[in-house]
């Protein structure tokens, strides 16, 4: 398959807790991106990390990249109800941007 | 609002028919990507155009074709439709080709009955 793999497929946590999602891919990359999709809507870009970076922060988001293991993680701290969505990693390969199948995150009140 | 416009938002048609989905990229963006999203397959890359030329092709069926016009809008043509083609089709645009941040449209929900 050309897709990346996110883990877990689904995650439910209490509001205020941290959520961690993982992504694995199969080829060398130039960068890796994370996107959010609210139910049935278009994807929204969250953060991009380049292959020569190991960690990047944006607000409550923290992304790590381990190119030796071909994996990335997305940490959302102090989760809120509005964070309920699907999260996808995406990586570039041969002018394609390939998406994983996503992690469905549900924040419980 | 991402600045990417897709029409129509919903499309209901019958098996064997042909439909055209349209995408207008963000102003200034030269690249257009098409993706198919279904429940069991996630987001599948179909094809990418850059400034009117096909740049990369993914798992696009032979019954599907696309093009990008001189004004940079793009159309995805789906023919001989089958039940399994029912899905959400997204267009996305970026300023560069194949490496940058994508801006997604709101999608076209295709239902083949």
């Amino acid at each position: 398959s050309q897709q990346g793999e996110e883990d877990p497929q689904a995650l439910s946590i209490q509001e205020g807790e941290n959520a961690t999602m993982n992504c694995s891919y199969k080829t060398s990359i130039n960068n890796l991106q994370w996107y959010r999709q609210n139910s049935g809507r278009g994807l929204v870009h969250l953060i991009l990390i380049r292959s020569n970076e190991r960690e990047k922060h944006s607000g409550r988001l923290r992304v790590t990249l381990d190119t030796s293991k071909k994996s990335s993680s997305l940490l959302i701290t102090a989760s809120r109800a509005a964070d309920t969505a699907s999260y996808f990693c995406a990586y570039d390969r041969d002018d394609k941007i390939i998406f994983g199948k996503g992690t469905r995150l549900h924040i419980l009140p | 609002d991402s600045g990417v416009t897709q029409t129509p938002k919903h499309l209901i048609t019958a098996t064997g028919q042909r439909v055209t989905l349209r995408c207008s990229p963000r102003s200034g963006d030269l690249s257009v990507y098409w993706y198919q999203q279904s429940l069991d397959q996630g987001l599948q890359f179909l094809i990418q155009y850059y400034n009117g030329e096909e740049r990369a092709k993914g798992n696009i069926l032979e019954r599907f074709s696309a093009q990008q016009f001189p004004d940079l809008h793009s159309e995805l043509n789906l023919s001989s439709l089958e039940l399994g083609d029912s899905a959400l089709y997204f267009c996305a645009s970026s300023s560069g080709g194949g490496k940058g941040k994508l801006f997604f449209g709101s999608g076209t929900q295709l239902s083949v009955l």
Side-chain angles (χ1 to χ4, degrees):
Chain A
S1 167
Q2 66 175 347
Q3 290 186 292
E5 296 287 334
E6 276 101 339
D7 169 53
Q9 291 186 334
L11 180 62
S12 293
I13 61 172
Q14 295 293 139
E15 191 169 10
E17 293 181 339
N18 296 341
T20 300
M21 289 157 269
N22 302 296
C23 166
S24 60
Y25 56 92
K26 298 179 181 177
T27 66
S28 59
I29 60 173
N30 292 300
N31 61 60
L32 187 137
Q33 306 178 54
W34 285 89
Y35 288 79
R36 183 187 71 222
Q37 182 182 34
N38 291 90
S39 181
R41 299 190 176 186
L43 281 71
V44 175
H45 182 266
L46 295 175
I47 195 165
L48 181 152
I49 185 166
R50 303 193 186 284
S51 59
N52 61 354
E53 297 176 308
R54 291 297 168 258
E55 187 171 313
K56 198 163 184 179
H57 296 254
S58 176
R60 294 183 297 112
L61 306 180
R62 172 179 167 250
V63 168
T64 62
L65 179 64
D66 186 334
T67 53
S68 66
K69 295 181 179 178
K70 292 187 170 56
S71 67
S72 174
S73 68
L74 171 67
L75 169 68
I76 304 174
T77 61
S79 63
R80 305 168 182 170
D83 296 329
T84 292
S86 291
Y87 292 81
F88 295 84
C89 69
Y91 62 92
D92 63 293
R93 191 192 77 193
D94 301 329
D95 287 324
K96 305 172 188 176
I97 297 180
I98 307 297
F99 283 78
K101 292 191 176 183
T103 293
R104 294 186 306 279
L105 175 64
H106 185 59
I107 308 300
L108 304 168
Chain B
D1 182 12
S2 68
V4 178
T5 303
Q6 284 189 252
T7 57
K9 291 190 184 305
H10 302 277
L11 199 48
I12 301 174
T13 188
T15 55
Q17 295 299 305
R18 173 189 169 95
V19 296
T20 297
L21 312 184
R22 182 188 169 102
C23 170
S24 294
R26 272 191 338 151
S27 177
D29 282 356
L30 300 179
S31 284
V32 170
Y33 301 73
W34 286 98
Y35 289 89
Q36 178 192 57
Q37 186 177 36
S38 53
L39 286 175
D40 58 345
Q41 292 295 322
L43 207 68
Q44 294 282 332
F45 171 75
L46 296 178
I47 198 164
Q48 185 215 159
Y49 282 85
Y50 180 80
N51 202 20
E53 299 291 325
E54 181 184 305
R55 175 67 71 92
K57 189 178 267 192
N59 296 332
I60 187 166
L61 299 172
E62 286 190 8
R63 299 183 287 108
F64 297 0
S65 64
Q67 59 185 116
Q68 185 179 28
F69 294 87
D71 66 353
L72 300 178
H73 92 271
S74 178
E75 293 181 355
L76 179 66
N77 300 296
L78 315 176
S79 62
S80 302
L81 285 168
E82 301 175 359
L83 296 177
D85 297 328
S86 295
L88 194 50
Y89 291 84
F90 284 108
C91 163
S93 74
S94 74
S95 56
K99 295 178 176 55
K101 173 180 175 180
L102 298 183
F103 294 87
F104 277 79
S106 57
T108 294
Q109 179 67 60
L110 174 65
S111 297
V112 182
L113 305 178

